[in-house]
Amino acid sequence: MTDWMIEYVYDDRADERDRLRPEHRAHLAELAAAGRMPAYGRFDDEGPAGALLIGRAETREEVEAMLDGDPFMVAGLIAERRIRRWPAVWA
């Protein structure tokens, strides 16, 4: 399996994100339970609203498919999604 770095940049609809957050987190937790998402979390600094996710899949297309079902993506709350192959070194 290959590790992938995924960066979400959210749009400005924070109220809608708050409403959908339980579904969004449930989706990510399901991926984590399946061994496909070992880490994820939102940024809480002064930068733009967004999140960093670490995914596991063989191909970029697999990563895109598992993220396309994210309720935030379905609702159009993600203004930008960057996916990069990440040959991580885990301690």
Side-chain angles (χ1 to χ4, degrees):
M1 271 303 166
T2 300
D3 288 328
W4 300 83
M5 184 281 309
I6 302 113
E7 182 183 5
Y8 280 175
V9 177
Y10 299 140
D11 70 7
D12 60 356
R13 293 179 288 162
D15 291 343
E16 186 67 6
R17 280 196 315 275
D18 289 345
R19 187 182 73 75
L20 289 175
R21 185 164 283 111
E23 294 172 46
H24 163 71
R25 286 190 176 161
H27 177 76
L28 296 178
E30 190 174 297
L31 292 171
R36 306 291 303 265
M37 186 76 51
Y40 54 89
R42 68 180 177 83
F43 297 118
D44 69 354
D45 60 8
E46 67 283 346
L52 176 68
L53 303 86
I54 304 301
R56 286 206 170 123
E58 292 298 329
T59 67
R60 180 186 178 91
E61 291 76 20
E62 288 178 37
V63 176
E64 290 171 345
M66 70 184 186
L67 296 174
D68 286 346
D70 183 337
F72 280 8
M73 182 62 69
V74 172
L77 299 173
I78 300 171
E80 183 180 345
R81 179 176 78 181
R82 292 185 330 134
I83 301 170
R84 298 181 66 187
R85 184 184 310 267
W86 186 51
V89 176
W90 296 90

